[in-house]
């Protein structure tokens, strides 16, 4: 076989070539095959220190993949990009090394189960720990090919991860068979079998989509895209001025039928005192404006701060200002109408690593000090909430999903379990510039629409703002880098899909399977 490092490089390039939004998703079904061939050749060789070689080969693949698909983080911070690429590649290569160790001890019927299982266990782990970065979870690869994966309403994105590994292992075995026999005829049946594994899920998906009809009440939404530069303007613009910008923009599209007006994440960047928020003059002005539109509610993002002096109130997410003063900092959404004095609030709970949370703060902060990365106008740890708040209007219930949270499938499904009838995503993707970053983020929202069969309205500060229907089709967009607004109708839906009800059940099975195989592998001394 060829040099394993060349094979590893090919796999990295194929993975990048499959990734949204510039890639061709079907390439992913063969992307791991060169890497698997490299591992196989090393494992079957008589060379010593195969573990180190497999790790280096795996790291080559994953470094190329991570670099080519997430280099755009560099626009916010060079260090952050290097950290994300290097560490994520390291974690992926360790997972692949575990596969190599198991493959040396067990026959294919076991280690071919272990590889998808340990990879999905890793993806599940990556959704929940302090350094969470699930951007490259394999199920996300179909974000621009939603006609292939309408069955995500039953499996979630982990169904896509499993599909990818089944096909890669299938084509890998086909190649091994051909290498052994040098006969195309000998692999015809395997080829047909693999092609059916591609075709059948796609046909099922197309049938689901062709028979799916949006039903239920329609409501009118107005989505605002103020296009305020976060590097030069956002954190230097008063809340009073921002409110005027939003009101002027909304007035261009809103009418007596408008039921929700959506504004971006932390559009009010000057932190309100959380206890005085309802009485703030800016809220008074917005309430007065909303009286023109009797059905309308404003869902917008804001920063909050809660200053306190009692050490008993300190939590793991609190920040110290000086010797006797602490504060909690929030990235939040609020829901305002013209008639209600109280203003419901939701605090963002899936935080961007190094920007909004200090990973393993209790351990690392005493050692390193405050080394938070300034990626978003703040270096303070954000305070989160445990439950998913659903905002209720007279005629609908909406999930307020803030920015990075939209990448987390099971997390978003908790809003649906709490009664949300559609999803509102508010975000600020300007940190990455006009790159693949904000485009990938938009398309990941399409996966949430399918998983939950919910319409999505998306307000992004600099774009891309959008309306997405329940089958993941983008109905309207407002391009990146312009100020403007969208107006459209969306369907409400109180259905709870199989995935929304049961979440990442495939990943939980994978965690159990991989743990059992690992336990068995490392308690055995010889290969079966």
């Amino acid at each position: 076989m060829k040099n394993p490092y060349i094979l590893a490089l090919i796999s990295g390039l194929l993975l990048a070539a499959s990734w949204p939004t510039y890639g061709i998703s079907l390439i992913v079904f063969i992307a791991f095959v060169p890497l698997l061939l490299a591992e196989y050749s090393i494992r079957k060789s008589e060379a010593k220190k195969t573990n180190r070689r497999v790790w280096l080969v795996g790291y080559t693949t994953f470094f190329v993949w991570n670099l080519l698909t997430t280099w755009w983080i560099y626009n916010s911070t060079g260090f952050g990009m290097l950290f994300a690429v290097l560490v994520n590649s390291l974690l992926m290569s360790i997972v692949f090394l575990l596969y190599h160790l198991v493959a040396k001890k067990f026959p294919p019927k076991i280690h071919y189960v272990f590889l998808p299982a340990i990879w999905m266990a890793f993806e599940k782990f990556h959704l929940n720990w302090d350094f969470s970065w699930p951007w490259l979870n394999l199920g996300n690869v179909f974000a621009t090919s939603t006609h292939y994966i309408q069955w995500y309403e039953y499996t979630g994105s982990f169904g896509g991860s499993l599909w990818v590994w089944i096909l890669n292992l299938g084509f890998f075995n086909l190649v091994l068979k051909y290498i052994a026999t040098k006969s195309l005829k000998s692999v015809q049946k395997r080829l047909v079998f693999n092609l059916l594994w591609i075709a059948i899920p796609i046909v099922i998906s197309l049938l689901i989509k062709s028979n799916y009809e949006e039903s239920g009440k329609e409501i009118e939404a107005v989505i605002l895209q103020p296009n305020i530069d976060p590097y030069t303007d956002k954190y230097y613009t008063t809340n009073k001025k921002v409110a005027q910008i939003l009101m002027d923009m909304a007035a261009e599209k809103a009418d007596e039928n408008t039921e929700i007006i959506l504004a971006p994440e932390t559009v009010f960047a000057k932190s309100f005192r959380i206890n005085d928020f309802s009485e703030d003059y800016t809220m008074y002005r917005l309430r007065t404006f909303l009286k023109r539109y009797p059905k309308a509610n404003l869902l917008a993002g804001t920063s909050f701060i809660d200053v306190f002096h009692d050490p008993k109130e300190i939590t793991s997410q609190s920040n110290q200002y000086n010797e006797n003063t602490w504060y909690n900092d929030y990235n939040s959404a609020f829901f305002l109408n013209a008639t209600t004095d109280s203003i419901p609030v939701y605090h963002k709970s899936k935080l961007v690593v190094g920007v909004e949370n200090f990973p393993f703060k209790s351990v690392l902060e005493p050692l390193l000090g405050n080394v938070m990365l300034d990626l978003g106008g703040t270096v303070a740890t954000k305070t989160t909430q445990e439950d998913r708040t659903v905002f209720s209007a007279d005629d609908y219930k909406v999930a307020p999903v803030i920015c990075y949270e939209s990448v987390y499938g099971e997390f978003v499904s908790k809003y649906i379990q709490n009664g949300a009838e559609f999803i509102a995503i508010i975000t600020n993707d300007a940190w990455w510039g006009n790159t693949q970053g904000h485009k990938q983020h938009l398309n990941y929202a399409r996966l949430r629409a399918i998983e939950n069969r919910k319409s999505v309205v998306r307000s992004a500060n600099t774009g891309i703002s959008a309306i997405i229907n329940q089958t993941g089709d983008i109905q309207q967009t407002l391009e990146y880098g312009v100020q403007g607004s969208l107006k459209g109708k969306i369907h409400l839906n109180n259905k709870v899909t199989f995935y929304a009800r049961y979440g990442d059940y495939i990943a939980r099975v994978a965690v159990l399977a991989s743990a059992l195989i690992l336990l068995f592998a490392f308690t055995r001394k010889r290969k079966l």
Side-chain angles (χ1 to χ4, degrees):
M1 293 184 185
K2 293 182 179 181
N3 185 309
Y5 294 99
I6 293 176
L7 291 170
L9 177 61
I10 293 171
S11 268
L13 293 173
L14 289 174
L15 283 163
S18 68
W19 212 254
T21 61
Y22 50 76
I24 301 171
S25 60
L26 292 179
I27 293 174
V28 78
F29 292 132
I30 60 168
F32 286 105
V33 172
L35 177 62
L36 291 170
L37 288 170
E39 185 278 332
Y40 180 83
S41 67
I42 294 171
R43 176 163 33 103
K44 294 301 182 180
S45 72
E46 297 181 357
K48 297 180 179 179
K49 298 181 179 179
T50 61
N51 294 348
R52 185 175 67 180
R53 290 191 69 195
V54 167
W55 176 77
L56 288 171
V57 163
Y59 197 90
T60 300
T61 290
F62 301 126
F63 176 79
V64 170
W65 178 25
N66 276 265
L67 181 65
L68 293 180
T69 52
T70 60
W71 64 268
W72 40 263
I73 302 173
Y74 180 83
N75 282 14
S76 350
T77 165
F79 174 79
M81 185 274 287
L82 286 174
F83 184 86
V85 169
L86 294 175
V87 173
N88 208 41
S89 302
L90 173 63
L91 295 172
M92 290 176 170
S93 63
I94 291 172
V95 172
F96 193 70
L97 175 60
L98 288 174
Y99 161 68
H100 172 68
L101 296 174
V102 169
K104 289 196 296 185
K105 292 198 171 190
F106 290 113
K109 64 182 179 181
I110 295 180
H111 66 72
Y112 286 169
V113 172
F114 178 74
L115 179 54
I118 191 63
W119 190 273
M120 289 187 289
F122 159 69
E123 290 187 340
K124 181 63 176 174
F125 172 73
H126 224 1
L127 288 165
N128 293 292
W129 73 315
D130 275 16
F131 281 107
S132 177
W133 178 240
W135 206 266
L136 297 184
N137 281 11
L138 288 176
N140 294 341
V141 72
F142 303 107
T144 54
S145 304
T146 53
H147 49 295
Y148 295 163
I149 43 92
Q150 293 296 311
W151 36 267
Y152 271 24
E153 69 169 295
Y154 301 102
T155 69
S157 64
F158 279 100
S161 297
L162 181 59
W163 192 27
V164 168
W165 275 117
I166 288 173
L167 265 301
N168 273 277
L169 289 169
F171 281 111
F172 168 59
N173 275 287
L174 184 152
V175 173
L176 288 184
K177 181 72 172 178
Y178 176 74
I179 291 172
T181 64
K182 297 295 190 294
S183 169
L184 289 174
K185 187 175 181 179
S186 68
V187 299
Q188 286 178 351
K189 288 184 179 180
R190 291 176 186 264
L191 178 61
V192 171
F193 183 75
N194 291 342
L195 293 177
L196 285 174
W197 263 105
I198 296 174
I200 290 174
I202 292 176
V203 170
I204 291 172
S205 178
L206 293 173
L207 289 172
I208 292 173
K209 186 171 184 179
S210 65
N211 288 286
Y212 187 87
E213 292 185 9
E214 292 190 314
S215 59
K217 180 180 176 180
E218 282 188 331
I219 65 168
E220 183 179 280
V222 170
I223 301 167
L224 308 181
Q225 184 170 296
N227 197 39
I228 302 172
D229 191 311
Y231 288 108
T232 59
D233 298 325
K234 181 175 179 180
Y235 293 91
Y236 307 98
T237 305
T238 66
N239 288 337
K240 178 181 177 181
K241 185 174 181 180
V242 169
Q244 189 61 56
I245 292 171
L246 298 181
M247 290 187 290
D248 290 344
M249 293 177 65
E252 295 176 0
K253 294 282 178 70
D255 57 34
E256 66 276 6
N257 296 313
T258 301
E259 296 200 44
I260 186 168
I261 300 170
L262 197 66
E265 175 190 22
T266 57
V267 67
F268 295 101
K270 296 290 187 181
S271 297
F272 291 103
R273 291 296 182 102
I274 195 166
N275 294 327
D276 303 327
F277 178 57
S278 296
E279 290 76 35
D280 190 274
Y281 180 67
T282 300
M283 294 302 106
Y284 169 77
R285 293 185 67 214
L286 290 170
R287 279 196 185 95
T288 302
F289 171 77
L290 289 173
K291 289 179 180 178
R292 305 181 197 175
Y293 313 103
K295 295 182 180 180
N297 295 269
L298 172 66
L299 196 165
T302 187
S303 294
F304 284 124
I305 191 168
D306 180 22
V307 179
F308 58 93
H309 304 283
D310 186 353
K312 294 180 181 178
E313 297 181 34
I314 298 173
T315 70
S316 62
Q317 296 179 320
S318 298
N319 303 277
Q320 188 166 14
Y321 180 71
N322 58 36
E323 184 177 355
N324 299 309
T325 305
W326 295 265
Y327 66 96
N328 292 327
D329 195 18
Y330 302 86
N331 179 345
S332 306
F334 67 89
F335 196 60
L336 180 71
N337 63 42
T339 58
T340 305
D341 291 333
S342 62
I343 305 176
V345 169
Y346 166 70
H347 303 305
K348 183 180 180 181
S349 298
K350 280 292 186 183
L351 305 178
V352 180
V353 177
V355 181
E356 297 175 318
N357 78 321
F358 195 142
F360 306 108
K361 183 177 180 179
S362 61
V363 175
L364 295 181
E365 189 172 34
L367 297 174
L368 304 177
N370 193 340
V371 293
M372 295 280 283
L373 307 175
D374 188 3
L375 295 179
T378 178
V379 291
T381 299
K382 299 294 184 183
T383 300
T384 62
Q385 66 177 66
E386 185 173 346
D387 298 324
R388 307 284 72 75
T389 297
V390 172
F391 291 151
S392 297
D394 291 339
D395 296 325
Y396 61 81
K397 294 182 178 179
V398 55
V401 179
I402 303 176
C403 189
Y404 191 48
E405 293 180 331
S406 65
V407 182
Y408 294 80
E410 187 175 71
F411 180 91
V412 172
S413 74
K414 300 295 184 182
Y415 291 101
I416 312 308
Q417 292 179 11
N418 290 341
E421 296 170 294
F422 70 100
I423 297 169
I425 298 174
I426 58 175
T427 187
N428 177 30
D429 294 345
W431 306 112
W432 311 320
N434 193 3
T435 65
Q436 287 298 311
H438 72 86
K439 297 174 185 178
Q440 290 169 358
H441 197 199
L442 165 68
N443 282 280
Y444 290 168
R446 302 171 68 184
L447 304 179
R448 309 291 86 83
I450 296 169
E451 289 170 344
N452 300 289
R453 291 303 181 198
K454 296 292 181 286
S455 298
V456 175
V457 288
R458 187 177 194 270
S459 173
N461 173 35
T462 53
I464 301 171
S465 298
I467 297 175
I468 302 170
N469 71 12
Q470 294 167 10
T471 59
D473 294 330
I474 298 176
Q475 303 290 290
Q476 294 187 54
T477 60
L478 195 60
E479 66 183 88
Y480 185 88
V482 301
Q483 184 180 90
S485 58
L486 295 173
K487 179 179 179 179
K489 294 197 173 182
I490 60 170
H491 282 87
L492 305 181
N493 180 7
N494 57 15
K495 174 185 176 182
V496 179
T497 64
F498 187 90
Y499 174 74
R501 188 177 303 277
Y502 297 106
D504 294 333
Y505 65 93
I506 292 177
R508 287 190 283 273
V509 172
V511 170
L512 178 61
S514 58
L516 289 175
I517 294 173
L518 272 177
L519 181 63
F520 192 30
F522 290 105
T523 55
R524 291 188 62 86
K525 293 186 177 180
R526 63 182 180 88
K527 185 172 180 176
L528 291 177

